[in-house]
Amino acid sequence: MAKPTIVIVGGGFAGLAAAKALRKTPAKVLLIDRTNHHLFQPLLYQVATSELAPGQIATPIRSIFRNQKNTTVILGEVTGVDKAQKCVIVSDADRQNVPIAYDYLILATGASHSYFGHNEFAEYAPGSKSLADAEAARNKILQAFELAEAEEDPNRHRDLLTFILVGAGPTGVEMAGALAIFVRSTLKSDFRRIDPASARIVLVDTAHVLGTFSESLSKAAKQRLAKLGVEVLLGHSVDQIDSDGIVVAGQRIASKTVIWTAGVAPSPAGKWLNAETDRAGRVRIQKDLTVPEHPEIFVVGDTASLDQNGKPLPGVAQVAMQQGRYAGKLIHNRIVGSPLPGPFSYFDKGTMAVVGKGFAVLQSGKVQVSGFGAWLTWAAVHLQFLATSSLRLSVFLQWVWTYVTGQRGDRLIVSHHDSAPVSTPVKEAVRGAA
Ligand SMILES: Cc1cc2nc3c(=O)[nH]c(=O)nc-3n(C[C@H](O)[C@H](O)[C@H](O)COP(=O)(O)OP(=O)(O)OC[C@H]3O[C@@H](n4cnc5c(N)ncnc54)[C@H](O)[C@@H]3O)c2cc1C
């Protein structure tokens, strides 16, 4: 009998966990992702703030599965699902709309930014979801210091050295803390005309700092940010973002570097399936993580919506990994004829956020701690969940080096798309001289 085909779309936390759970399954596993790498999103802010290099938080998906012989990795973008024909529609740089048939389908396509209906903000306030986003933010931050150093008018220094982060959830808080350490210690001796330590860092949010944490941890994080010199502006949404900065609570804050660290929107999986979604657009799934009336289609991770104890599960890596593992195991058991697992149940191991050097907040059940101990736990957990041992070693060494010396790993401005305008005048000058 022909082996069944299991198509997994997305090589993030959920897709990877599903594929690994299928390693002994007598099936053809096809893992499709539009990038060639698995990205450890929780450390994206460290790439944006020059602590880590992009290659330290991402791994080629192909290399992760090099020893898993039943799994084939395909680089391609899924643009739709034909439930009747049981196939996904995939495009790549070479071929468009190729149908790929499945017997089982796992959609694990994650989420992207949401500008809450203000898509015009995207041009001036890049988000932080992909490696390209983090590199773009790093370029912007480093470039601001270069422009300020080259600027002779000291009145312009203030605008160039004002950094605004919109959204005080874990991403905004972690980035603000890391940026504060970066400008006040790493860069302190590198410039002659400007004082990097004078840089203004503003964190804006409509509600609280770390709103999903307890009140006491939210307060601890806010106090820590204040100690690091981060201005926290709460209770107002941003009305405008443009090339000159932001307008919040009727006031303009001039800045050349605004970074979006607020909302997320799920992938279009709900539209592909024409399935019921929650208000955010996440696919409503059943307790066995399948889509109603389609026992062969699973949706997992950030793009899925499932309630537990009357509350929707959060969009965090632990949920994605546990769901991916469950979906893989359920499909395996169905194929080999073993008893099926009971309904999916999320085991919450707790949440953490780091606020600058040597300080984190940690919440796990009734346990709520902040400070150095929480930071050590944060560091250990993050190292443990990096995809390969080489990344674990490399990140560990970099963290120790940065902690001891204050020096960062990757402070390069790499403007991939800007090389053409620079070379054009050179060519023209050569032509003119001929
Ligand atoms: C900046 C940041 C910081 C975070 N920090 C934390 C943290 O500290 N702790 C925590 O628990 N969680 C954190 N999260 C959330 C966590 O990263 C997500 O919950 C988790 O990544 C969800 O896993 P996933 O597999 O559902 O999606 P993802 O990990 O986003 O993976 C989705 C994959 O699908 C691929 N894909 C998407 N669309 C397509 C398509 N059409 N075709 C082909 N491939 C596609 C993508 O390329 C990607 O590889 C953070 C998220 C961000 C953005």
Side-chain angles (χ1 to χ4, degrees), residues 226-264:
K227 214 168 164 188
L228 293 170
V230 176
E231 292 172 43
V232 181
L233 213 65
L234 300 176
H236 302 286
S237 56
V238 172
D239 299 320
Q240 196 177 320
I241 305 181
D242 54 35
S243 59
D244 293 324
I246 67 167
V247 175
V248 61
Q251 300 247 316
R252 175 166 283 279
I253 305 178
S255 167
K256 293 291 173 203
T257 314
V258 183
I259 297 169
W260 189 259
T261 52
V264 291

Side-chain angles (χ1 to χ4, degrees), residues 291-359:
V291 174
E293 294 169 35
H294 285 278
E296 77 285 10
I297 301 179
F298 296 74
V299 183
V300 288
D302 276 8
T303 209
S305 170
L306 182 68
D307 289 355
Q308 188 166 302
N309 304 326
K311 281 199 270 176
L313 291 175
V316 294
Q318 276 299 326
V319 172
M321 284 192 276
Q322 290 179 32
Q323 288 189 338
R325 214 172 293 136
Y326 176 96
K329 186 173 177 205
L330 196 149
I331 294 172
H332 173 89
N333 286 12
R334 271 202 212 156
I335 290 172
V336 300
S338 294
L340 300 183
F344 174 79
S345 173
Y346 171 55
F347 176 63
D348 184 0
K349 294 180 185 165
T351 43
M352 289 175 275
V354 69
V355 198
K357 187 177 175 180
F359 187 98

Side-chain angles (χ1 to χ4, degrees), residues 65-79:
F65 291 101
R66 66 185 185 284
N67 293 326
Q68 190 166 315
K69 298 292 177 214
N70 69 350
T71 301
T72 303
V73 178
I74 305 281
L75 178 68
E77 169 117 23
V78 168
T79 54

